[in-house]
Amino acid sequence: MSVSFPDKEKKRVEEIIEHYPQKKAAIGDVLYLAQKQFGHISPEVELYVASLLDLPASYVHQIVTFYTMYLENPVGKHLMLLCNNVSCMLCGAEDMLAKVEKKLGIGPGETTKDNKFTLWTVECLGACEMAPCLMIDDKLYGNLTVEKLDKLLDSVE
Amino acid sequence: MAKVKLITRFFEIEDANLLPIYEANGGYAAARKVVTESWPPDKIFSTVKAANLRGLGGAGFPAGMKWSFVPKDAEGPKYLVVNADESEPGTFKDRHIMLKAPHLLLEGAIIAACSINAEDIYIYVRGEYYQPTQSLERAIEEAEDAGFLGKNIFGSHKNIKVHLHRGAGAYICGEETALLSSLEGFKGWPKLKPPFPAVKGLFSKPTIINNVETLSYVPIVIDKGPEYFAKLGVERNGGARLFGISGHVKKPGVYELSLGTPMRELIFDHAGGVRGDRKLKAVIPGGSSCPVLTADEIDVNLDFDSLAKIGSMLGSGGMIIMDETTDMVKVLLRICRFYAFESCGQCTPCREGTGWMTRIMERVASGEGTSQDLDDLYDVAGMIGGNTICPLGDAASLPVLSFVKKFRAEFEAKVSAAKVPAASGKKSAGEEI
Ligand SMILES: Cc1cc2nc3c(=O)[nH]c(=O)nc-3n(C[C@H](O)[C@H](O)[C@H](O)COP(=O)(O)O)c2cc1C
Ligand code: FES
């Protein structure tokens, strides 16, 4: 097998498993760990995670495809999640999408040519009081205007 | 009836997310009392029952009563699960609690765990909540170091461990049985009840699931006494809750109001009224699955029973305000797409029905619809509700039924403006789409 965790991550897998009376329950966090380590969950990574948890690879695949936050395919350096649920829509999410499309030249599901940004439109991020809002990687940005968004995109390294 | 500061008190104290500050403001007194005075389970749940604390995740089930359903003679481990999945569109209150008062939640969870003799608490946090997760991680560490969590808590013989579990992006995992499936390492598929989780839940053991906010009120109930809490609200709806208000409103945010406060007071006094002083058109009272209210229906009090009486729900307390410029057809399409995307696919009426409704709504919204479409929409919605394992089916159909009924003229205008396709004829929803 060509993918494998370094020792530190291997230890972390053991720690995660300890939180549950059944090994299978650790799959969620182990997948996050794998995603961090390998960038996305390729079939090879699925196989590796399956071996760590004594599960069939097909089982791991089911989990990866059921949940939206496990990446089956590579994304750009930054993953942008633009909320377009009701409150954000009422407060201008469509203008935000148009701005991103114009400035970066990508639509939902696409990645910029320089591989810097991947854009997803997503459901309510639980931050409707800051509508319209988006996340870039693990950070939340709210109360956006077209101007603020423009500056924000420029500020991302 | 008005604004109160029970949970939000901690939002206003600087650094109340940190243990020393939380403790200096009375934090952990309730849990310490319950643990060191060895309150028996009955005493805990009868206190919470007397306070009329309702479940604030959406369904409003009385909290103390739920805890009493765990069989007393059950052997082996029991679990308390905290529902921090907060994904119902329009809802954001739990995020504020986890960020600003994580110890209040932990304290409430400790007390609830004592009431069912659970030694393990799992907090299921939605995956996108990175900062709230970090805030909880830190709080758990602080509480463990202080001896409030872990072995022999507060110097007693009790052991309570808290485990954080991150979700991974699936709205359905907020539904309690789906959440348990997900926690066990399965897909987030809901299960039929009975057996109820209180009897056979996580890892097949007795399990109580409560929302973040419900548990956060528990220390307050113990501190202030159940009579105080019950009296603050109205009959059967004790105390207060956090209302999240967003959309076309001047001051969106979280407001803590006693239950029974008039809706008008929240919208116009606390949240400043409609943005741009436009006219109010509609309100979704408690998350996107609740039947919509017209501007004429907002003279209602904010408690579970009053909203049920007018055919809607208080739900998660996430209120969405829409002004006169709002295109209701577009909003409903947005809601339909959400439920179609989030249906777990297990039950046919929900899996297929949410897709049908979305495709019909796409047609209506794009001006290609017919009035037959509106009738079909109504029929399909009627066939989903009540015919599924979990209430996501109802959550998807209630908005459709209420939007089309209450804003029929707007929907009619959209379809009558549309050119009628040649040889359309009457078709069943199934074959047409
Ligand atoms: C589709 C669906 C989604 C739900 N999402 C949530 C949620 O995100 N958070 C929550 O606390 N409850 C949610 N619930 C309600 C839970 O099933 C459950 O009633 C609640 O967690 C119980 O806690 P409580 O009694 O303290 O309210 C959802 C229910 C359904 C049907
Ligand atoms: S609708 Fe965008 S955060 Fe809730």
Side-chain angles (χ1 to χ4, degrees):
Chain A
M1 202 169 290
S2 56
V3 293
S4 176
F5 279 141
D7 286 345
K8 189 168 151 249
E9 278 66 26
K10 279 190 182 139
K11 212 173 137 249
R12 180 76 198 117
V13 171
E14 295 308 316
E15 286 167 13
I16 295 169
I17 291 171
E18 272 176 31
H19 282 286
Y20 307 95
Q22 293 171 8
K23 218 171 177 181
K24 184 191 262 182
I27 190 169
D29 261 359
V30 173
L31 282 171
Y32 275 130
L33 197 67
Q35 186 156 296
K36 200 165 166 205
Q37 186 70 28
F38 308 115
H40 71 282
I41 314 282
S42 63
E44 221 179 358
V45 174
E46 283 178 358
L47 230 101
Y48 179 57
V49 169
S51 73
L52 291 173
L53 298 174
D54 306 326
L55 293 166
S58 60
Y59 184 87
V60 177
H61 184 66
Q62 253 190 67
I63 299 297
V64 171
T65 50
F66 184 83
Y67 298 96
T68 57
M69 289 180 68
Y70 300 126
L71 305 169
E72 286 171 79
N73 298 299
V75 293
K77 187 174 170 202
H78 301 289
L79 180 58
M80 190 177 349
L81 307 179
L82 180 67
C83 175
N84 71 351
N85 207 290
V86 177
S87 296
C88 284
M89 185 182 98
L90 294 172
C91 297
E94 286 167 342
D95 299 339
M96 301 306 124
L97 178 60
K99 178 72 202 174
V100 175
E101 286 180 331
K102 190 160 159 231
K103 190 171 169 89
L104 302 180
I106 49 170
E110 294 174 356
T111 301
T112 54
K113 281 209 185 72
D114 61 1
N115 208 36
K116 188 169 170 187
F117 288 106
T118 295
L119 171 67
W120 288 3
T121 48
V122 296
E123 301 299 354
C124 179
L125 286 169
C128 326
E129 82 280 25
M130 298 198 259
C133 65
L134 60 75
M135 290 185 74
I136 297 179
D137 303 323
D138 57 3
K139 280 215 177 65
L140 180 65
Y141 302 89
N143 297 316
L144 295 172
T145 58
V146 171
E147 295 74 38
K148 276 197 216 166
L149 178 59
D150 191 52
K151 284 209 188 96
L152 173 64
L153 293 176
D154 283 336
S155 72
V156 178
E157 300 264 301
Chain B
M1 306 299 125
K3 205 162 173 171
V4 296
K5 287 185 182 165
L6 300 175
I7 290 179
T8 47
R9 176 166 84 95
F10 294 102
F11 295 0
E12 290 168 12
I13 300 168
E14 202 179 334
D15 295 334
N17 62 317
L18 303 179
L19 181 61
I21 311 287
Y22 178 69
E23 250 195 306
N25 286 280
Y28 284 108
R32 187 188 302 271
K33 184 152 101 186
V34 167
V35 174
T36 57
E37 293 176 7
S38 307
W39 282 29
D42 307 20
K43 184 169 171 186
I44 304 175
F45 48 69
S46 59
T47 303
V48 173
K49 227 190 252 182
N52 286 333
L53 174 63
R54 304 279 292 254
L56 300 170
F61 195 84
M65 197 191 297
K66 193 194 280 188
W67 304 350
S68 68
F69 293 158
V70 171
K72 287 204 179 58
D73 51 358
E75 286 189 18
K78 302 176 190 69
Y79 297 108
L80 176 74
V81 174
V82 182
N83 190 340
D85 196 47
E86 190 161 76
S87 311
E88 171 80 7
T91 312
F92 46 87
K93 65 198 173 73
D94 297 340
R95 191 183 103 244
H96 286 257
I97 296 176
M98 290 185 272
L99 283 174
K100 297 177 217 157
H103 284 289
L104 187 63
L105 167 61
L106 293 180
E107 186 178 0
I110 292 170
I111 298 167
C114 288
S115 86
I116 58 165
N117 282 320
E119 295 199 339
D120 291 279
I121 300 171
Y122 287 92
I123 308 182
Y124 188 104
V125 194
R126 75 174 284 187
E128 293 89 346
Y129 275 6
Y130 293 96
Q131 283 81 15
T133 303
Q134 283 164 2
S135 171
L136 283 172
E137 269 167 357
R138 178 176 188 166
I140 292 166
E141 217 178 287
E142 283 180 322
E144 281 175 348
D145 290 345
F148 303 165
L149 282 175
K151 296 239 178 288
N152 304 111
I153 61 168
F154 300 102
S156 72
H157 295 299
K158 263 196 181 309
N159 307 324
I160 294 183
K161 191 159 175 57
V162 174
H163 314 266
L164 269 183
H165 185 105
R166 286 183 64 205
Y171 163 71
I172 190 60
C173 292
E175 192 282 330
E176 56 186 21
T177 60
L179 187 152
L180 296 180
S181 301
S182 179
L183 244 174
E184 291 173 345
F186 294 92
K187 289 192 283 191
W189 272 13
K191 293 195 192 102
L192 273 174
K193 293 185 272 194
F196 287 92
V199 178
K200 192 172 175 225
L202 187 62
F203 306 115
S204 299
K205 301 294 177 200
T207 302
I208 291 297
I209 302 135
N210 273 123
N211 169 259
V212 167
E213 187 190 1
T214 313
L215 292 170
S216 299
Y217 274 117
V218 171
I220 295 165
V221 166
I222 308 259
D223 271 337
K224 304 230 173 214
E227 299 79 20
Y228 169 88
F229 196 81
K231 268 213 339 248
L232 201 58
V234 290
E235 213 188 342
R236 290 197 305 277
N237 292 258
R241 78 176 299 178
L242 303 181
F243 290 94
I245 187 164
S246 65
H248 293 146
V249 76
K250 281 184 190 159
K251 293 189 281 178
V254 170
Y255 298 91
E256 187 176 29
L257 305 175
S258 57
L259 287 180
T261 299
M263 182 182 279
R264 204 174 271 285
E265 181 183 320
L266 169 57
I267 301 173
F268 291 95
D269 298 348
H270 303 300
V274 182
R275 228 175 242 189
D277 289 319
R278 292 207 185 92
K279 251 175 70 187
L280 180 69
K281 182 169 186 178
V283 176
I284 297 176
S288 69
S289 58
C290 300
V292 67
L293 302 178
T294 65
D296 296 333
E297 290 176 300
I298 66 160
D299 286 303
V300 60
N301 293 337
L302 296 170
D303 59 77
F304 288 96
D305 301 332
S306 299
L307 273 141
K309 220 177 276 165
I310 62 163
S312 190
M313 301 186 287
L314 191 62
S316 65
M319 200 176 288
I320 305 173
I321 305 300
M322 290 169 266
D323 74 17
E324 55 187 333
T325 66
T326 309
D327 178 344
M328 299 308 279
V329 175
K330 199 166 147 188
V331 173
L332 183 60
L333 170 59
R334 190 67 269 287
I335 293 175
C336 284
R337 281 187 172 143
F338 171 74
Y339 290 104
F341 181 71
E342 298 293 351
S343 171
C344 80
Q346 201 179 183
C347 312
T348 312
C350 174
R351 182 187 62 239
E352 300 302 322
T354 53
W356 285 3
M357 294 197 300
T358 304
R359 289 188 293 273
I360 297 175
M361 278 306 299
E362 276 167 353
R363 207 157 52 222
V364 172
S366 67
E368 307 273 311
T370 64
S371 57
Q372 179 66 42
D373 278 331
L374 299 185
D375 295 337
D376 288 347
L377 198 57
Y378 218 77
D379 282 352
V380 176
M383 287 185 280
I384 303 174
N387 292 325
T388 53
I389 292 176
C390 92
L392 190 139
D394 305 282
S397 61
L398 290 173
V400 172
L401 296 172
S402 61
F403 269 70
V404 177
K405 186 170 163 209
K406 294 182 184 180
F407 296 93
R408 181 94 195 184
E410 203 172 323
F411 283 79
E412 292 281 1
K414 263 271 180 2
V415 295
S416 64
K419 52 178 188 324
V420 181
S424 67
K426 183 176 163 41
K427 293 176 189 163
S428 80
E431 41 177 311
E432 185 157 346
I433 324 166

